[in-house]
Amino acid sequence: MASSSPSFQLNFAQLGGFRSLAAAIVFAVLYAVLSGWFIVSFARHQTRVTATLGIFSLARFAAFVIRAVMIEGKGATNLSMFIAVQVLFNVGFFALIGGTSEAIVVEMSKHSPEHRLPLEKAILQRQRFVRLALIAATALSIAATVKTSQGNLGPSTLSTVSAIIFVVVTGWVTLSAVVNLHNAETKGQKKMAIVLLVISLLLVARELFLAITVKNTRRRTNEAFWYPFSEVTCFLAVSGFVVVGIFKARAKKIKKEKGYDGSEVDQNQ
């Protein structure tokens, strides 16, 4: 008489360190609010930066909703949901770094050409390489996630290389932010440059945490570390763009009050 044993199902929620339902719900709500903000902003201005940040916020919102569903138990063993969460996190962060880099370049393009340093010119000319590096890092990170979901639980070369590329790219973006601040010509440009530098530093802090813990999966996915170093930094960074939006709206209002048409403020974004 043949006996049958219950098939083993891997709990992907536990594998990914998904523990706190409350935290997942809170972040889903926060990103729902930010998504609404960027959707309205895009409807008004239709800029690439706003569209990119809207994609980031929507991706984060969807990821935290799925994360909450998996934590509650529904879909905890669902491989497709686990991969979806990781893909949304990776694609979202790709959008956040890309949007930050684009915003810095837009601000740099407003500087007088005759005052530009060679490094600033180099930054303006190398945006394509930043995008290619981000695509490569994101693809490697997603591939590493798929490998993990197949039972390879240890650190992989794919995740290590991805982490290194992300650190290099965020470092380059931060350098761009420093140069942008150094060459800012007006009070308004300096305010914007400071905010963009703070955003860049938050992104570097996040990537350094992920790079340092790339070979320690347990610590990397531990929510006591993951939320403050990975997700709070991301949320503060994207919230910084709300501050940027307020600055621009205020600058546009001041120009109108002085009798100028401020429509060109966001024209290049």
Side-chain angles (χ1 to χ4, degrees):
M1 184 168 128
S3 62
S4 61
S5 59
S7 60
F8 173 75
Q9 285 188 308
L10 191 61
N11 188 314
F12 293 106
Q14 290 183 0
L15 175 66
F18 303 177
R19 295 286 186 273
S20 175
L21 178 61
I25 292 173
V26 167
F27 272 90
V29 171
L30 290 173
Y31 278 113
V33 173
L34 281 177
S35 297
W37 169 275
F38 288 117
I39 288 170
V40 171
S41 297
F42 181 74
R44 290 176 178 172
H45 305 296
Q46 297 186 358
T47 67
R48 280 180 306 202
V49 172
T50 305
T52 303
L53 296 172
I55 291 170
F56 165 79
S57 299
L58 287 169
R60 273 298 194 273
F61 166 70
F64 277 111
V65 168
I66 298 172
R67 187 182 178 101
V69 171
M70 292 184 72
I71 290 170
E72 202 198 2
K74 299 175 182 176
T77 58
N78 189 308
L79 173 60
S80 298
M81 292 178 73
F82 175 72
I83 292 177
V85 170
Q86 304 306 321
V87 169
L88 286 166
F89 275 128
N90 280 289
V91 171
F93 192 65
F94 168 89
L96 180 55
I97 300 178
T100 304
S101 181
E102 180 75 21
I104 293 169
V105 167
V106 167
E107 288 301 306
M108 279 186 173
S109 67
K110 296 176 183 177
H111 301 161
S112 302
E114 60 272 15
H115 294 151
R116 285 178 188 160
L117 299 174
L119 182 56
E120 186 172 16
K121 293 177 183 177
I123 291 168
L124 290 170
Q125 293 169 357
R126 283 165 175 74
Q127 274 299 95
R128 182 180 298 177
F129 295 106
V130 172
R131 295 190 193 99
L132 290 174
L134 285 174
I135 291 170
T138 303
L140 288 170
S141 184
I142 292 172
T145 297
V146 173
K147 188 176 179 182
T148 300
S149 69
Q150 293 172 344
N152 301 298
L153 305 182
S156 70
T157 303
L158 295 174
S159 56
T160 302
V161 174
S162 173
I164 292 171
I165 295 174
F166 272 126
V167 168
V168 171
V169 172
T170 51
W172 175 260
V173 171
T174 302
L175 175 63
S176 304
V178 171
V179 174
N180 179 49
L181 176 58
H182 179 269
N183 294 344
E185 298 168 349
T186 67
K187 187 176 179 181
Q189 287 179 3
K190 286 180 181 177
K191 285 182 179 179
M192 294 281 246
I194 289 170
V195 175
L196 290 172
L197 177 57
V198 171
I199 291 171
S200 302
L201 290 171
L202 286 167
L203 298 182
V204 168
R206 178 190 191 269
E207 286 313 305
L208 285 174
F209 162 73
L210 294 178
I212 290 168
T213 58
V214 71
K215 293 186 178 181
N216 190 339
T217 306
R218 182 172 294 182
R219 177 163 292 185
R220 192 184 217 205
T221 59
N222 186 331
E223 290 185 341
F225 299 104
W226 185 77
Y227 270 110
F229 291 110
S230 178
E231 289 313 304
V232 172
T233 49
C234 268
F235 179 76
L236 290 175
V238 74
S239 297
F241 283 99
V242 176
V243 176
V244 169
I246 293 170
F247 278 165
K248 290 195 173 185
R250 187 166 176 265
K252 190 173 180 179
K253 184 179 178 182
I254 291 171
K255 281 192 174 185
K256 284 185 176 180
E257 288 175 351
K258 290 182 177 180
Y260 295 100
D261 181 4
S263 60
E264 65 179 16
V265 173
D266 293 308
Q267 190 175 4
N268 294 321
Q269 288 191 27

